[in-house]
Amino acid sequence: MDGTTTLSRTGAGAALRHDSALKHCTGEARYADDIPDVPGTLHGALVLSTVPHGRLTALRTEAARAMPGVVAVLGPRDIPGENDVAPAVKGEPLFAETLVEFAGQPLALVLAATRDQALRAAAAVTAEVEALEPVLSIERALELGQNVIAPQVIRRGDAAAAIAQAPRRLSAEFRAGGQEHFYLEGQIALATPGEGGDMTVVSSTQHPSEVQHLVARVLGCDFNRVTVTCRRMGGGFGGKESNASWVAAAAALGARVTGRPVKLRLSRRADMIATGKRHPFLYRWTAGFDETGRILGLEALLAADGGWSTDLSGGVVFRAITHALGPCDVPALTLTAQAVKTNTVSHTAFRGFGGPQGALLIEDVVHRVAAAAGLPPEQVRARNFAGVGGNGEDTPYGQKLEGDLIARVWAEAKRDSEWDRRRAEIAAFNAAHPTLRRGLGSMVLAFGISFGIQHLNQAGALVHVYSDGSIRLNHGGTEMGQGLFIKIAQVVCDVFGVDLDRIAITATSTAEVPNTAPTAASTGSDLNGWAAHNAAVAIRGRMAEVAAAKWGIAPEAVVFADNRAWAERAGANRWFDFGELAKLCFLERVSLSATGHYRTPDIHWDPKAMRGHPFFYFSYGAAVAEVVVDTLTGEHRCLRADLLQDCGRSLNPAVDRGQIEGAFVQGMGWLTCEELWWDAHGRLRTVGPSTYKIPGSRDVPPVMNLRLLEGAPARVETIFRSKAVGEPPLLLATSVWNALKDAIGTPALDLPATPERVLMALRNRG
Ligand code: MTE
Ligand code: HPA
Ligand code: MOS
């Protein structure tokens, strides 16, 4: 990698358990809410709008102010800086001023001595709103032409002509629902005012730098006044990429105005009502194809429900449109993707970030074309594969899907799952059973790795070696359960040739590593891994010089392994214990601290032309799922899943396996049982686990075979040739949707495929 080979039993590639696994289980792991309150701490509760659209004429707070324990009720006029917490495109007020744009919009913050007092007082605040007509569906917003992100279009060739000239044509419309993140730990921030206008914020956030920026914007101060830390989140899944920032800004506002520490922890209900979710999508397409199932032309609209504001919808739409062909090639196409504006909560990042929604398009096309052509969908998909061995490597946006991994992952998944044998078995079962129907479905994924927004593809790290040889590691990435911290620690172990127990993993802090990107787009270990590597290599180089000078050899001849620095080729057994050498460096007055920085090379994007090379590389995977459906009730379960995921040379196979299992089950929840339901007044009525059903342990397929693709390291220079894993395997759950279509005998199945929708699809099939 960089000349010297290093050795550590706990380095890159070791299948170690999550560094906090035991702490998570015993309760020792500290989350924001576990930090004991400082005397005088106030607790916040939000006042939320109950109407989806209207003019706010008055907010009645007198009753609330008079209630026990209440210290303040803060609204837009109490903000010393800007009333704007938009992460991307300005115009997203922290508290509504004159216009209410969704039911659940924050109107004010109540501060009281206890959380219960704050919640009771918040309920006593009343808003006077002159109602305006709300827009509550994607269709209505399309009719009105109102968008938060204007249509982005990718064109290749003449799609209309290709469709017209194709032997056969097909059109369809379908939809996919959104998804609540349902992180175990809800949104929370604790803001503590310091002297001279300083503000320290503990935030459960994927993006400490953005929390810093938005706190500063709301307070009207420089970034250097605000310090944001996060030791860990109890899950983020994209829900704490932008939404954590406004929660923290509200807490910091309270702390600024009262001069006291303020903790704001949203109730599950408030969290579900007021924070963004995965974008629901509506799809309309027309395809031309031939008798072999080759798709010759495609025109498609992907309309995301952006909700009331832009938030991160630009990036989500970009990822949807660049992933709309999945692993396939279509020679002539016009893809249009946009995010419409509705009077619902502003939809946001969620694992996959529009990629999963994009990939549903091609899966729908493939399955309906297959049904029309009387071919198996797997044959139609493979007929249209991109890549070497398929129809060529070019994507319609200019980047290549290099190599033959698409064909390879599918061939291996088909073999692993004993596809042919089970097809026959399932046919026999279905023939014999009067009401139960089994089905087999598959999925092949190609997921682009890098932030769609160029400048986010960078990271920083700060490494200290102390004079006893212990190491303190800090970087800009955040830990949300995905195992980032241990992966980066393993990278540092590898560089120094030391064991993990020498390394202190520390909380993310804007004071230690500034100007960071969110931990998102699955890039956490790619970016921070290199940054930490670069910092550690800088220190190791200085340590090598000190040792080399002692031994009279070249610094390059010093090897770091087995917790020692060795003079290799020197013949005699010359070595320093790592701590001994650190001490020596200190005595020689050599710095043992370094920052490291990394920026992803070779990526570019032209948003006008909608062309470029936006992804450093692609992550590949394939899956086969088997389901059984009760045709009398529509109920179904996934009986077996065979998952194959390309992790390159995995930094930590144990952690990666956990990511793949979790992503698959989370994706299955999105596609089969999690349903967000807004009533006719635009109020979300699925506001807790009793009405919003996430998958439980019994929904995990009883047979779940999982394999990391072997012998396919990254083609580009990723950290230790590993590949990102956080989001891509969520798409593998699409195999469950496809299996359900197979079981019920129709490709027309809207999402989420709840028992009700499965019954409707069965009835429509006739
Ligand atoms: N895994 C756990 N346990 N908890 C999470 O919140 N978030 C996912 C994924 N895996 C998440 C998770 C999302 S949305 C992303 S983008 C990646 O982790 C981010 O981390 P990484 O870049 O370090 O993979
Ligand atoms: N994924 C997640 N978050 C993001 C992205 C992305 O591609 N781009 C900007 N924020
Ligand atoms: Mo993940 S949706 O990129 O936070």
Side-chain angles (χ1 to χ4, degrees), residues 205-277:
T205 177
Q206 293 173 238
H207 199 349
S209 284
E210 188 182 86
V211 171
Q212 178 193 39
H213 301 168
L214 294 184
V215 165
R217 194 195 287 167
V218 166
L219 298 186
C221 67
D222 290 340
F223 294 172
N224 65 4
R225 290 283 155 204
V226 182
T227 300
V228 179
T229 66
C230 177
R231 172 58 184 85
R232 62 169 64 78
M233 286 159 270
F237 307 112
K240 294 170 183 170
E241 184 174 340
S242 64
N243 278 264
S245 304
W246 68 259
V247 174
L253 172 68
R256 166 68 85 246
V257 173
T258 62
R260 291 162 68 169
V262 168
K263 182 187 277 187
L264 178 56
R265 169 165 66 84
L266 304 197
S267 65
R268 180 63 62 179
R269 186 172 182 280
D271 199 309
M272 291 188 75
I273 290 174
T275 73
K277 300 163 204 324

Side-chain angles (χ1 to χ4, degrees), residues 183 206 233-239 241 350-352 478 480-484 487 519-526 659 666 724-727:
Y183 21 58
Q206 293 173 238
M233 286 159 270
F237 307 112
E241 184 174 340
F350 196 134
R351 206 169 192 171
T478 55
M480 58 196 98
Q482 87 278 38
L484 175 66
K487 285 185 173 179
T519 306
S522 305
T523 60
S525 51
D526 284 17
Q659 284 292 289
Q666 191 167 43
V725 70
E727 298 165 287

Side-chain angles (χ1 to χ4, degrees), residues 108-476:
L109 174 71
V110 176
L111 297 172
T114 70
R115 190 162 174 275
D116 285 345
Q117 288 170 334
L119 286 167
R120 256 178 253 130
V125 175
T126 51
E128 286 174 18
V129 181
E130 285 170 14
L132 295 168
E133 180 75 25
V135 175
L136 298 172
S137 71
I138 298 177
E139 284 89 339
R140 181 77 186 121
L142 283 173
E143 277 165 26
L144 295 170
Q146 58 179 52
N147 294 312
V148 293
I149 291 294
Q152 300 178 2
V153 183
I154 290 180
R155 270 181 242 280
R156 176 152 85 186
D158 186 341
I163 294 168
Q165 286 154 22
R168 302 193 56 186
R169 270 163 297 285
L170 197 61
S171 294
E173 175 174 314
F174 75 104
R175 51 180 60 246
Q179 188 177 21
E180 159 63 34
H181 301 86
F182 228 102
Y183 21 58
L184 288 178
E185 177 208 35
Q187 304 273 0
I188 179 167
L190 169 63
T192 306
E195 59 183 51
D198 287 354
M199 189 66 67
T200 304
V201 182
V202 177
S203 168
S204 181
T205 177
Q206 293 173 238
H207 199 349
S209 284
E210 188 182 86
V211 171
Q212 178 193 39
H213 301 168
L214 294 184
V215 165
R217 194 195 287 167
V218 166
L219 298 186
C221 67
D222 290 340
F223 294 172
N224 65 4
R225 290 283 155 204
V226 182
T227 300
V228 179
T229 66
C230 177
R231 172 58 184 85
R232 62 169 64 78
M233 286 159 270
F237 307 112
K240 294 170 183 170
E241 184 174 340
S242 64
N243 278 264
S245 304
W246 68 259
V247 174
L253 172 68
R256 166 68 85 246
V257 173
T258 62
R260 291 162 68 169
V262 168
K263 182 187 277 187
L264 178 56
R265 169 165 66 84
L266 304 197
S267 65
R268 180 63 62 179
R269 186 172 182 280
D271 199 309
M272 291 188 75
I273 290 174
T275 73
K277 300 163 204 324
R278 184 189 291 284
H279 291 64
F281 269 61
L282 171 70
Y283 308 77
R284 290 176 179 153
W285 58 265
T286 301
F289 59 99
D290 67 16
E291 300 302 334
T292 69
R294 175 70 173 139
I295 300 160
L296 300 166
L298 177 64
E299 286 181 327
L301 169 72
L302 298 92
D305 183 346
W308 72 281
S309 75
T310 310
D311 185 69
L312 306 175
S313 293
V316 169
V317 165
F318 163 77
R319 202 167 267 283
I321 199 168
T322 50
H323 286 71
L325 295 186
C328 292
D329 165 79
V330 177
L333 54 80
T334 303
L335 296 175
T336 306
Q338 69 198 75
V340 300
K341 176 173 167 135
T342 61
N343 294 107
T344 47
V345 67
S346 189
H347 295 298
T348 193
F350 196 134
R351 206 169 192 171
F353 203 69
Q357 293 100 312
L360 294 180
L361 175 76
I362 193 69
E363 289 302 309
D364 194 62
V365 174
V366 159
H367 283 73
R368 292 192 203 236
V369 163
L375 298 168
E378 285 68 29
Q379 187 179 323
V380 171
R381 192 197 288 121
R383 175 75 185 83
N384 292 287
F385 272 164
V388 170
N391 296 281
E393 298 173 287
D394 293 321
T395 62
Y397 53 88
Q399 180 158 4
K400 287 180 187 305
L401 278 163
E402 286 175 275
D404 64 350
L405 281 188
I406 291 173
R408 196 177 138 198
V409 290
W410 170 236
E412 292 193 16
K414 201 171 166 189
R415 188 198 61 205
D416 288 354
S417 65
E418 309 164 275
W419 180 273
D420 294 322
R421 180 182 67 72
R422 285 167 64 214
R423 259 278 59 119
E425 231 174 66
I426 288 169
F429 175 91
N430 288 344
H433 207 285
T435 55
L436 296 182
R437 287 288 173 276
R438 290 197 178 192
L440 209 52
S442 65
M443 177 63 184
V444 178
L445 78 87
F447 193 88
I449 302 299
S450 288
F451 283 99
I453 294 166
Q454 300 285 300
H455 70 265
L456 297 180
N457 294 292
Q458 62 172 317
L462 175 64
V463 175
H464 304 320
V465 175
Y466 293 98
S467 57
D468 64 350
S470 64
I471 299 165
R472 186 179 192 280
L473 168 62
N474 196 273
H475 53 81

Side-chain angles (χ1 to χ4, degrees), residues 547-585:
K550 281 277 170 218
W551 294 327
I553 60 171
E556 301 77 53
V558 179
V559 172
F560 290 76
D562 293 335
N563 298 300
R564 291 170 177 180
W566 301 83
E568 262 230 311
R569 291 177 289 274
N573 226 0
R574 283 194 290 185
W575 52 267
F576 286 117
D577 174 80
F578 187 79
E580 221 182 323
L581 179 55
K583 181 72 183 285
L584 192 59
C585 290

